[in-house]
Structures are given as structure tokens and as C-alpha cells.
Amino acid sequence: MKLKQWLIIVGVLGTAQALWAQQPTDIFDEVYTDRVDSLLNDVFFGDEEWSYLVEPRKHYQFLYWRSNFDSGTYFAGREIGEQQSNLSGQLYYLHSLGFYAGVSGAWYSQLDPGYRTTVLTAGYANGPQKMSFFRYRLAFDYFLYHDDDPDFDPAYSGGINTGITLKSKHAGVRVDAYHLLGDDFKTSLTVDGYSSWRLLRLGTYDRVSLEPEVSLFWGAELVEYQLNEVLIDPETNIIYDRYFEDTFGLMNIQLEIPLNIRYKQFDIEASWIHNFPHSMQDGLTYPESSFFRFSVGYLFNL
């Protein structure tokens, strides 16, 4: 596959989102959204930009399929289900003008039902022609839930992502704000620093590369606070000496070391990922964790 076609793929999307530790159904909904968002980062943000290489008045259209397997399931560095793996897939339509749309879903090994949410996405990404180092993006997600449990009441119906990318030849920074919408409203912020280094050339355009990345994730966590004085409800005589409140702050630092192979129409990646979670609750700590990710993508020319 020609280089400029891959450049269109790696220059389009990316998103992130937030944690609200309330009830298991809500947690899994948010974990799923986070998983899809990080997959979009993996697929569409690489080490090169495409806009200044595309011939004037000539446009390209593609379908891109990708499937990922994670050996563990984590949200903001917190393990969700002991040794829970997940398998996800995405299919996206991409246009060189910057428009894209797609559908994605994920299956979890310990969740019943294992597949419960489909995400529909539409968005736009672009950048000034004379500023190839800068890109901006806007995307809308809509969640379709598949759960017959009458007690299942998801808090979110969709989300909006806004973000920018600044980059040089071998390194870059992505900043994304994600807003969950529905019965509740939650916001998160992700900052990613990444680089790309070619290890082996497999022909004129194909290659093997190392693409390390460090991500910082800010979100809202339910934190317990101690009251300065004890309060007693006069009607129930219940004693209150603490309260709970959503607190926004740094929740996780993640290190990812992926080995990427681009060969003809295929995009293959194997990654080792390590979490350094941080809690805003005094005296509460989360253990560091690691897991592996393997993904395969294929590009269809239209």
C-alpha cells in the first residue's frame, strides 16, 4: 500500500473519557467507552501527517477494519474483574477531507452479557495546510445497549470528544477532552506524549517500528470526606460524620510500548502496557498493573 494512503489513516482521530465509580453497570459502560476511545487513538494517530502530501483536488476513501485483544481489563488503572480479558472490533469509513464514521463493539470475558454495547461514531479531523504540525478533531458517539435486564439503567447515551495534536517528525502530543452525555454528565481529560522510531524497512513503504507512548488521564472519582463536626438528622436520629463527592484529578499514568508492523494493507501491533494509578482518596492506593494487547487491522480501498 502506498505511503500517502497510510498517512491518511494515521492522521484522523483520537478520544478519551472519564471514570465515575458508582455501580457495576455504569462502570462497565464507561470502561467500554474508554476501550473504544483508546482504540481510535491506536488506529488513527501515528507518526506522520498526510494533509500536505495529498495531491490537490484528489480525494481518497477507505474502509478500515481492526480487531484488538486485551489480556486484562482496566479503567483509569483500576482492574475491572479479576483476569478479565476483552475482544473488540471496529469498522470505519474514512475520507481524505477529514470526515469519518464507524461502528465498534467489545466483548468481555466476565460480563453477562459479554457483549452489551455498540458505539456509533461520526466526526471530523483536519489541520491548516501551512501548519502540518497541528491537527484538530471533533467526534460524536452514540451508544446502543444490548441488555434485557430490567434493572439495567445506563447513565450515558453518548459522548462528545474534542482534541488537538501537536507533532514533529518523531514525536508528538495529543490533548483530548471527552464529555459523557445522558442522565448524568461527566468530563475527562487525556494528554498523550508519543514517538515513533523505525526499526526495520520491509520495502519501499512497509516497515517495523517502535512507538512508545505515555498517557496522563484526569477524571472524576467518588471521594469520601470527613465532616468537621458530627451532624444528627432530627427525624431519623441518623449520625452523619462524612460525605461523598465527585472530585476531578489525575487518576492514572499509563506507559505503552507497542511494536508495530505495517505491511501492504495490514497493520499489526503487539503492545505491553503498564498502569500507575493514582487515587484522590487520602490513604487509598491502587496497585500497579500490566497487560498485553494484540491487534490486527486491514485497509480496504474504495
Side-chain angles (χ1 to χ4, degrees):
M1 181 177 49
K2 293 182 180 180
L3 175 61
K4 68 170 71 174
Q5 296 176 347
W6 267 123
L7 299 183
I8 293 174
I9 291 298
V10 301
V12 180
L13 300 176
T15 56
Q17 70 99 34
L19 169 67
W20 182 33
Q22 179 174 282
Q23 53 183 330
T25 54
D26 289 332
I27 291 176
F28 277 111
D29 295 340
E30 297 185 38
V31 170
Y32 176 76
T33 309
D34 178 66
R35 179 81 287 275
V36 172
D37 292 336
S38 61
L39 289 173
L40 294 179
N41 274 328
D42 295 340
V43 172
F44 298 110
F45 273 107
D47 60 310
E48 297 172 282
E49 299 295 345
W50 61 270
S51 57
Y52 67 96
L53 292 177
V54 176
E55 298 177 17
R57 299 181 182 179
K58 189 172 182 180
H59 303 305
Y60 301 90
Q61 300 178 74
F62 306 97
L63 284 179
Y64 186 83
W65 164 83
R66 189 180 180 97
S67 181
N68 291 60
F69 172 78
D70 282 6
S71 63
T73 300
Y74 298 86
F75 183 77
R78 285 83 164 153
E79 186 175 22
I80 305 299
E82 185 177 357
Q83 298 298 313
Q84 175 166 233
S85 58
N86 65 78
L87 179 66
S88 57
Q90 310 84 42
L91 181 64
Y92 283 90
Y93 164 81
L94 304 163
H95 195 286
S96 60
L97 287 177
F99 298 100
Y100 59 90
V103 58
S104 51
W107 171 86
Y108 292 92
S109 62
Q110 296 180 20
L111 189 61
D112 184 21
Y115 183 88
R116 69 189 304 168
T117 312
T118 300
V119 177
L120 305 179
T121 301
Y124 177 75
N126 212 326
Q129 292 185 355
K130 296 182 179 181
M131 299 174 62
S132 60
F133 63 90
F134 173 76
R135 296 192 65 78
Y136 57 86
R137 53 195 170 274
L138 173 67
F140 299 88
D141 293 334
Y142 181 74
F143 307 152
L144 298 175
Y145 295 103
H146 316 288
D147 196 319
D148 296 329
D149 186 347
D151 295 327
F152 178 68
D153 185 21
Y156 308 108
S157 59
I160 299 176
N161 175 77
T162 55
I164 61 171
T165 296
L166 301 172
K167 66 174 298 299
S168 62
K169 182 178 180 180
H170 291 292
V173 175
R174 293 188 296 264
V175 180
D176 286 276
Y178 194 83
H179 313 282
L180 282 169
L181 307 176
D183 294 336
D184 194 18
F185 177 83
K186 294 294 174 183
T187 297
S188 70
L189 178 69
T190 303
V191 178
D192 307 316
Y194 66 94
S195 63
S196 179
W197 304 92
R198 186 178 65 205
L199 303 179
L200 179 66
R201 186 184 293 273
L202 301 177
T204 304
Y205 304 113
D206 304 321
R207 67 182 188 178
V208 178
S209 60
L210 189 66
E211 302 177 353
E213 180 174 315
V214 176
S215 300
L216 282 74
F217 177 81
W218 286 266
E221 185 175 28
L222 198 62
V223 176
E224 178 184 359
Y225 293 96
Q226 193 79 27
L227 290 171
N228 294 328
E229 59 180 339
V230 175
L231 301 179
I232 302 177
D233 189 320
E235 296 183 0
T236 63
N237 289 324
I238 296 177
I239 298 176
Y240 296 95
D241 61 352
R242 65 197 64 193
Y243 68 99
F244 296 87
E245 184 177 89
D246 277 343
T247 302
F248 190 88
L250 178 65
M251 298 185 68
N252 190 39
I253 299 175
Q254 186 177 89
L255 171 65
E256 180 175 2
I257 302 179
L259 185 67
N260 181 271
I261 301 174
R262 292 178 188 166
Y263 183 72
K264 298 188 182 300
Q265 308 292 114
F266 285 95
D267 181 23
I268 303 171
E269 189 169 276
S271 301
W272 174 78
I273 302 172
H274 191 81
N275 294 308
F276 301 89
H278 172 75
S279 176
M280 286 163 278
Q281 177 70 59
D282 291 339
L284 178 62
T285 59
Y286 293 98
E288 297 180 12
S289 58
S290 298
F291 65 99
F292 292 94
R293 175 178 300 156
F294 179 77
S295 63
V296 178
Y298 190 82
L299 182 69
F300 299 88
N301 295 311
L302 300 179

